[in-house]
Amino acid sequence: MAKRISDFLSGTAMTVVSGAFLALSLALTLSGKSIGLDPAWGSVLISGIPLLYLALWRIRHNRGISKISSALLISIAMFAAIAIGDLFAAGEVAFIMAIGAILEEKTTQRAKKGLRNLLCLVPQQGRRIAEGKEECIPASRIRKNDILRILPGEAVPVDGIILRGETSLDQSIMTGESLPVDKGVGDSVFCGTINRFGVVEIRATKVGEDSSLQKLIHMVQEAESRQAPMQRIADRWASWLVPVALLIALAAYLFSGNIVTGVTILVVFCPCALVLATPTAIMAAIGQATKHGVIIKSGEALERMGKVDTLAFDKTGTITFGRPEVSDIAVFENSLTERELLVLAASAESHSEHPLGKAIVAFAQSEGLGLLPVEDFQMRAGKGISARVGGKKLLCGSERFLRECGIEPETSRMKTLDLLREQGKASILVADEKSCLGVIALADVLRPSAKEIVSDLEKTGARAVLFTGDNRKAAHYFARQAGISAVQAELLPEEKVASIAQLQREGRLVCMIGDGVNDAPALKSADVGVAMGGIGSDIAVDAADIALVGDDLRKLPYLKRLSSATVGTIKLSILLSLCINFVAIVLSLLGVLTPTSGALVHNAGSCLVVLIAALLYDRKFE
């Protein structure tokens, strides 16, 4: 009951009413008029009750020295001011505290829907094969060693091993790989991955809570629970601030014999400016960031971003665009040109649904090339395709596919293939019925600004590392292109989390930048998580502390400078508030200030802190 009353009174609407009462009290005091009951009583009751409740709650529930909080000091000052009949001073300190609480609450609200979206990815049913019959059953009824059939387009309901069939799986949910991965008998498959082409049968190895996707969900939950809210600076200092204030106030009373002097010191000693310093600066910085297409979800993230010394980049969709494009065309037959080879391959692939085939067709069309008629199109899932183009049979696929069809690529041509693999590129071999005609290589595309951004960030003293689920050769190739020297490749989600934890144990403050569902645990586990908001998964965006709306990595150096400036502004505001408090204490001891005038000086200090913070909003950081 008491909490409900406190929550109601501390809301924005009631705080506005409290401020109106306080303004009316000040107006009556300055005009020398009276209406019987001082309106400041309204402010004392509305803003004072939540303050008192907070102070008592912390005394009861907090441990050790943390029982002493800024709320306790302000409550003491409020009661002291009431005791000597200065209601305006009592209402003013309670009202400023209420304003600070509202501002801080607004800066620390976090999106909580990411975990719910992740749960929606869990497959709900599977096709179990029992005694030669197929039946659809809820995923919760699948048991270890059950035989399951996965059709094209379906999600894998549990972890397992392929017993029959070949296919390509979209594993981006787990590894972030931009291209489907070919799978055959004996290969492992993960829960939640998507079967793109062939029909396969698997034996369940990990089901229910043991599956990879469920472990991914648990990691996000655990990382979320480890995120502690930012402790108020005023509360961190309250352990010595309260005793010092009480001692100075008591000494002033004993020395002067005037209780008004002691109460004035309590009023001016109240850490309201400290309470306002952090949330106002953070609100201004968050507002500025929003104008530049950067969404910052919490003050903690902004504060920590300024101190980050290690930036861990995901590869696919982060430093690259996350889509395959034709990068190389190598012709092995002198009678063909590159354009002719491209026309043949694109024509054959025009009936294919494979992303690599689609990329070849799109590239040919962008070059203005016309495609030839296609007949007898056939696809071998996970291997390649065959088709008759212009009356000529063509094969497009992997080395293994060509060998199965009786085409052995010449040894001299293997150097070209090895070089392409070293560069992390996917290769599509093109052959006729007699020989290999050439190869078309496809690769993800590095963002043009990636190298410059990494260089700019490293100038701030931050170290860049690359974490990716992609293969090692591709990872090292793109890392070299981006100027990143530290690389960890072929990482599953839990391995990314472990790598971040290792950096943190080494004393590093880590910022993770990613875009996929598989990055969600790492984004949560890092000290700061930054998601690519434009093409990034909704789950990655929700798991992150910060989102780049336009997927513009050039905002990262801006974000680092903004965060550092915000931390500097907070420190400046704290220093100024302490100086104002010190001067006000001296004036109180000299009898210059009364509780009412002390409250006004105290209020002026709070306004100065807000003004300094507001300057962040239009400051240039580009």
Side-chain angles (χ1 to χ4, degrees):
M1 181 65 178
K3 187 178 186 308
R4 286 201 298 270
I5 293 173
S6 174
D7 290 344
F8 172 72
L9 293 177
S10 60
T12 303
M14 292 306 295
T15 302
V16 171
V17 174
S18 173
F21 278 123
L22 196 63
L24 179 58
S25 176
L26 179 61
L28 291 172
T29 299
L30 295 176
S31 64
K33 296 180 181 179
S34 175
I35 58 173
L37 186 67
D38 193 331
W41 272 115
S43 186
V44 168
L45 293 173
I46 292 172
S47 298
I49 289 175
L51 179 65
L52 180 61
Y53 172 81
L54 179 61
L56 295 176
W57 189 93
R58 287 176 175 171
I59 290 173
R60 180 178 178 182
H61 295 282
N62 287 7
R63 294 182 179 180
I65 199 69
S66 61
K67 291 179 181 292
I68 301 173
S69 65
S70 58
L72 178 60
L73 176 55
I74 297 174
S75 296
I76 293 171
M78 182 177 68
F79 278 111
I82 292 172
I84 65 169
D86 198 328
L87 293 174
F88 176 81
E92 188 270 346
V93 292
F95 174 69
I96 292 294
M97 187 70 173
I99 291 291
I102 289 172
L103 290 175
E104 188 160 1
E105 181 183 0
K106 288 185 179 298
T107 62
T108 56
Q109 289 174 344
R110 301 285 300 276
K112 297 291 185 181
K113 63 182 180 180
L115 189 59
R116 184 169 65 250
N117 290 344
L118 193 55
L119 288 168
C120 291
L121 295 178
V122 178
Q124 299 301 307
Q125 65 178 20
R127 300 174 184 271
R128 184 169 64 186
I129 308 299
E131 298 179 356
K133 296 181 180 180
E134 177 184 308
E135 60 174 338
C136 287
I137 62 170
S140 59
R141 287 177 50 195
I142 298 174
R143 299 291 178 261
K144 188 175 181 179
N145 293 322
D146 279 354
I147 306 302
L148 305 169
R149 179 173 291 153
I150 319 294
L151 302 184
E154 291 183 341
V156 179
V158 295
D159 288 9
I161 295 176
I162 295 179
L163 300 179
R164 281 180 288 278
E166 295 175 331
T167 188
S168 294
L169 287 180
D170 179 352
Q171 297 190 146
S172 59
I173 186 175
M174 295 302 297
T175 66
E177 290 175 281
S178 56
L179 302 176
V181 178
D182 296 337
K183 296 281 186 177
V185 174
D187 290 334
S188 298
V189 295
F190 300 117
C191 176
T193 56
I194 307 299
N195 183 20
R196 296 297 299 267
F197 302 110
V199 178
V200 293
E201 292 182 8
I202 69 170
R203 176 172 57 82
T205 56
K206 294 180 181 178
V207 301
E209 297 298 308
D210 292 330
S211 72
S212 301
L213 185 57
Q214 287 291 352
K215 288 180 178 178
L216 186 77
I217 291 169
H218 291 320
M219 282 189 288
V220 175
Q221 288 174 322
E222 290 169 7
E224 174 70 26
S225 67
R226 289 197 299 268
Q227 295 292 331
M230 180 175 59
Q231 188 181 16
R232 289 179 180 175
I233 293 173
D235 286 337
R236 293 203 296 265
W237 291 12
S239 57
W240 64 266
L241 200 63
V242 173
V244 169
L246 292 175
L247 284 173
I248 293 177
L250 180 60
Y253 168 62
L254 294 176
F255 179 76
S256 65
N258 186 354
I259 192 171
V260 173
T261 301
V263 173
T264 303
I265 287 174
L266 285 177
V267 170
V268 299
F269 223 118
C270 286
C272 292
L274 291 180
V275 171
L276 290 171
T278 298
T280 51
I282 287 173
M283 283 194 72
I286 287 175
Q288 152 131 188
T290 302
K291 291 193 301 181
H292 289 80
V294 180
I295 305 301
I296 303 173
K297 298 182 186 177
S298 72
E300 294 90 350
L302 183 66
E303 191 176 18
R304 289 194 299 266
M305 188 67 194
K307 303 172 185 176
V308 159
D309 56 16
T310 302
L311 294 115
F313 290 88
D314 175 50
K315 182 186 79 67
T316 306
T318 303
I319 66 166
T320 69
F321 285 108
R323 60 177 183 266
E325 293 185 4
V326 173
S327 58
D328 302 86
I329 301 175
V331 179
F332 299 157
E333 285 287 335
N334 294 330
S335 59
L336 283 177
T337 66
E338 289 185 2
R339 291 175 68 85
E340 289 170 339
L341 180 68
L342 178 59
V343 168
L344 291 174
S347 299
E349 294 282 6
S350 61
H351 290 188
S352 173
E353 291 297 317
H354 197 286
L356 295 183
K358 288 184 175 182
I360 291 173
V361 174
F363 181 74
Q365 291 173 337
S366 70
E367 293 290 306
L369 301 179
L371 302 185
L372 302 174
V374 178
E375 299 175 343
D376 299 332
F377 176 85
Q378 293 183 355
M379 185 180 75
R380 292 278 298 278
K383 294 183 178 180
I385 60 105
S386 64
R388 193 166 294 278
V389 178
K392 184 178 184 179
K393 184 177 180 180
L394 287 180
L395 303 171
C396 298
S398 63
E399 291 174 62
R400 184 177 66 170
F401 176 57
L402 263 61
R403 287 192 176 101
E404 288 179 1
C405 295
I407 307 298
E408 185 72 32
E410 294 180 21
T411 304
S412 60
R413 307 303 188 188
M414 296 305 295
K415 291 183 180 180
T416 301
L417 296 178
D418 290 339
L419 178 61
L420 293 173
R421 289 194 191 100
E422 287 294 330
Q423 296 174 348
K425 298 175 181 178
S427 300
I428 302 296
L429 292 168
V430 184
D432 58 18
E433 295 179 279
K434 298 179 181 179
S435 63
C436 184
L437 303 177
V439 61
I440 297 178
L442 299 98
D444 202 348
V445 180
L446 187 76
R447 292 180 184 271
S449 57
K451 187 169 185 177
E452 179 185 353
I453 289 160
V454 169
S455 176
D456 286 348
L457 288 169
E458 290 187 337
K459 287 176 184 176
T460 68
R463 171 194 176 203
V465 299
L466 185 67
F467 290 165
T468 178
D470 214 340
N471 69 79
R472 198 169 302 279
K473 290 181 178 179
H476 280 278
Y477 174 75
F478 282 106
R480 287 194 299 271
Q481 296 290 99
I484 299 174
S485 56
V487 183
Q488 293 191 40
E490 299 177 6
L491 298 178
L492 291 174
E494 61 267 26
E495 292 170 330
K496 288 184 181 180
V497 171
S499 296
I500 288 172
Q502 178 59 38
L503 288 171
Q504 291 170 330
R505 284 194 293 272
E506 294 171 2
R508 294 275 181 175
L509 206 64
V510 182
C511 171
M512 176 71 194
I513 304 103
D515 75 307
V517 173
N518 64 295
D519 296 321
L523 290 168
K524 279 290 186 185
S525 296
D527 297 287
V528 182
V530 178
M532 308 293 281
I535 63 169
S537 153
D538 288 342
I539 292 166
V541 172
D542 290 333
D545 303 296
I546 299 169
L548 306 181
V549 175
D551 288 337
D552 189 354
L553 284 178
R554 288 174 296 182
K555 297 301 179 186
L556 283 174
Y558 156 79
L559 178 60
K560 191 79 170 64
R561 289 192 290 269
L562 173 65
S563 304
S564 299
T566 303
V567 172
T569 298
I570 292 170
K571 291 178 178 178
L572 175 62
S573 296
I574 291 170
L575 178 63
L576 287 176
S577 67
L578 290 175
C579 291
I580 291 171
N581 277 9
F582 177 77
V583 172
I585 289 168
V586 173
L587 294 176
S588 300
L589 290 171
L590 295 175
V592 176
L593 295 179
T594 65
T596 297
S597 58
L600 292 173
V601 170
H602 169 266
N603 199 17
S606 299
C607 291
L608 179 61
V609 165
V610 173
L611 177 62
I612 292 171
L615 295 176
L616 274 173
Y617 188 74
D618 291 316
R619 193 165 159 188
K620 302 296 183 184
F621 293 98
E622 295 289 355

